[in-house]
Amino acid sequence: MLIEQLSSLTDEVAALEPWTLTGAEVREVIAAVQTTRTALDAVMSRLAGCADDMGLPKDDGATSTTAWLASSANITKGAASKLVGMAKVTGERTEATRAAWASGQLSTEQASIIMKAITALPDWCGDVERGDAEAHLIQLASEHDLDGLQRLANRVLEVIDPDGFDEHLGEQLRAQEERARARTRFQMGRRGDGTTHGSFVVPDTDADTLRAAIEGIIAPRRNQLAAESFGMGADDWAGLPRDQKMGHAFTELINHLPTDALPLAGGLAATVAVMVDVDDLRTGQGTATTTSGTTMSATKAQRLACNANLVAMYLDSDKRVIDLGTTRRLYDRHQRLVLATRDGGCVFPTCDRPPSWCEAHHLNYWSENGPTDLDNAALLCHYHHHLVHEGQWTAHMAPDGIVELIPPTRIDPHQRPQRHSRFTTQQPRAG
């Protein structure tokens, strides 16, 4: 009986000792396991469809066939949903795909792509046209990866009706874009450990814009610069998982949102109030608390005071507000334009961040009565701004009007001032 055969197979697989196999045998077993897994997925999908027809989910009190399968098979609802969905389209129009899937010729993912593509063909497509398109995609599945197969499946009508394809594709895309807009979601919540977790669903075109911005920051050609930007060695940065690199890049992106272009709420544009002891802000010691309840170090509040649209509420020793700072500590757009022209980007040596990615830093801290004027300003990217406020490096204006960075003694015991190479003036060669 089938159940006994499956049980026997499970016992044999559990007893397998991979270390006893040769390299060639490992390859063969992997291929055979994948074929079997695919065939079992196909059987599971057919069983789910049968259970739905028999009303088993309702009999067992499940809210849906997907929920029933997820519970019965101890799989995720996402996996169950895929198998149930495929059961609903495994009809006469996709019989060839179902057969190839059951035999292991197609993976579950490949079969899903093909079934959806054939089902999405317009009603005027006859059985012959559908059969041709299905056979065409099954053949392509052996020649392309999943992404490639998906792209070709989206355009399979081009094989059937080259002349009407563009019009049909346009209609498909408009409908897809409308569905994507309706499904757009964003949520975030604190985890209680100093981090916030979030998830989102956005249209592909908008996601592409976000991905391009993030991947531009972590592009391989910028490995050395990215490592320096985030305070790491090149090897340490290269060894980070890709998702961690993208996380660092995402935070940098967040810190450069154009808050002055955001909608006003209560007369303020993305304004955050921070309550901080006046002595803590001057020294960088202690803590500060935002109106949303987030506690940060006074050092970070000190850095944010340079660039964020932030209002500082200064507290005395009894935690009473003794003064209300204003956003005049911020350099205005005219000053920022001058700084962009003067500094050309982050002034930290070797940094390549452009002006749009930089924060206007008070050389003499605003919290120490430093003025908000151009002679007391320098452009620093998010990371190097943080580095300076941490006290590892210091910045000052040289007599000739060029901003210089002073390294810590661990880097240069003599602490010789350093300048960005863009400020280097080359002398003409002697004749």
Side-chain angles (χ1 to χ4, degrees):
M1 188 175 176
L2 180 60
I3 294 179
E4 294 176 351
Q5 292 174 332
L6 290 174
S7 178
S8 176
L9 174 62
T10 302
D11 292 339
E12 291 183 24
V13 170
L16 175 67
E17 296 288 353
W19 61 270
T20 65
L21 304 177
T22 65
E25 289 172 335
V26 168
R27 295 186 181 93
E28 292 177 2
V29 172
I30 286 177
V33 167
Q34 177 58 31
T35 299
T36 303
R37 286 182 59 183
T38 296
L40 291 174
D41 275 348
V43 171
M44 184 75 83
S45 179
R46 290 164 58 196
L47 289 171
C50 179
D52 187 57
D53 293 339
M54 296 170 67
L56 296 184
K58 183 178 180 181
D59 291 345
D60 292 346
T63 57
S64 66
T65 304
T66 293
W68 178 84
L69 181 60
S71 175
S72 300
N74 288 320
I75 59 178
T76 66
K77 287 186 177 180
S81 177
K82 173 177 283 189
L83 295 176
V84 170
M86 293 175 74
K88 293 179 179 178
V89 299
T90 305
E92 294 181 359
R93 290 185 169 183
T94 55
E95 189 64 29
T97 302
R98 187 197 64 77
W101 181 27
S103 69
Q105 179 185 347
L106 292 176
S107 70
T108 301
E109 291 75 14
Q110 289 173 325
S112 178
I113 289 172
I114 295 173
M115 287 180 181
K116 289 179 180 178
I118 299 304
T119 304
L121 289 173
D123 293 337
W124 57 259
C125 286
D127 292 341
V128 174
E129 290 83 4
R130 290 178 184 275
D132 290 344
E134 185 179 18
H136 177 68
L137 290 177
I138 291 174
Q139 175 61 38
L140 291 176
S142 64
E143 303 169 1
H144 299 273
D145 61 14
L146 286 178
D147 289 339
L149 179 62
Q150 182 67 73
R151 284 192 294 270
L152 294 167
N154 290 342
R155 303 177 64 89
V156 71
L157 185 62
E158 195 171 22
V159 177
I160 301 173
D161 182 19
D163 296 331
F165 167 71
D166 286 338
E167 181 180 352
H168 178 73
L169 180 61
E171 293 176 357
Q172 278 189 323
L173 290 175
R174 280 190 291 274
Q176 183 184 69
E177 289 163 0
E178 190 62 28
R179 289 193 301 270
R181 186 185 66 81
R183 293 171 181 168
T184 299
R185 299 286 188 276
F186 179 85
Q187 59 183 4
M188 57 190 292
R190 299 189 182 190
R191 300 171 60 174
D193 60 356
T195 63
T196 293
H197 179 270
S199 64
F200 62 85
V201 177
V202 297
D204 285 342
T205 50
D206 300 300
D208 288 342
T209 301
L210 176 62
R211 182 186 297 276
I214 290 176
E215 290 185 340
I217 298 173
I218 64 170
R221 62 182 175 78
R222 299 188 65 261
N223 269 354
Q224 182 63 44
L225 293 173
E228 294 175 359
S229 176
F230 292 106
M232 301 179 183
D235 291 340
D236 292 334
W237 170 259
L240 289 180
R242 178 177 173 78
D243 62 341
Q244 190 172 358
K245 290 180 182 178
M246 294 186 75
H248 285 306
F250 185 50
T251 59
E252 184 163 351
L253 189 65
I254 292 171
N255 278 282
H256 290 84
L257 290 175
T259 56
D260 57 344
L262 296 177
L264 297 179
L268 300 173
T271 300
V272 176
V274 175
M275 293 166 285
V276 59
D277 184 282
V278 65
D279 292 327
D280 288 346
L281 186 64
R282 291 193 181 105
T283 64
Q285 304 299 316
T287 62
T289 305
T290 70
T291 45
S292 60
T294 299
T295 301
M296 68 180 75
S297 66
T299 301
K300 184 164 187 176
Q302 191 182 63
R303 179 178 60 79
L304 289 176
C306 286
N307 196 67
N309 198 5
L310 176 150
V311 174
M313 296 182 181
Y314 301 125
L315 310 178
D316 61 16
S317 58
D318 294 323
K319 304 302 180 184
R320 293 174 300 190
V321 177
I322 58 175
D323 189 22
L324 180 66
T326 70
T327 54
R328 182 60 189 93
R329 75 173 56 77
L330 302 177
Y331 289 90
D332 63 32
R333 62 189 185 91
H334 301 291
Q335 290 172 308
R336 286 294 303 255
L337 180 61
V338 174
L339 288 174
T341 303
R342 188 195 75 185
D343 292 348
C346 179
V347 297
F348 196 91
T350 74
C351 186
D352 69 345
R353 290 291 192 270
S356 59
W357 286 84
C358 292
E359 302 166 354
H361 168 67
H362 289 74
L363 296 174
N364 294 316
Y365 293 168
W366 185 90
S367 57
E368 297 176 356
N369 299 318
T372 303
D373 59 37
L374 295 173
D375 290 337
N376 190 44
L379 291 184
L380 289 169
C381 69
H382 176 70
Y383 174 75
H384 290 125
H385 197 181
H386 176 79
L387 200 66
V388 169
H389 274 280
E390 285 291 321
Q392 298 183 48
W393 290 69
T394 58
H396 71 252
M397 184 72 72
D400 60 354
I402 302 298
V403 178
E404 296 180 329
L405 278 296
I406 311 297
T409 55
R410 61 181 174 78
I411 293 178
D412 180 3
H414 301 292
Q415 292 192 293
R416 288 165 289 201
Q418 298 183 17
R419 295 185 175 190
H420 197 287
S421 59
R422 73 173 69 97
F423 302 124
T424 301
T425 301
Q426 299 190 88
Q427 298 298 322
R429 188 179 61 174

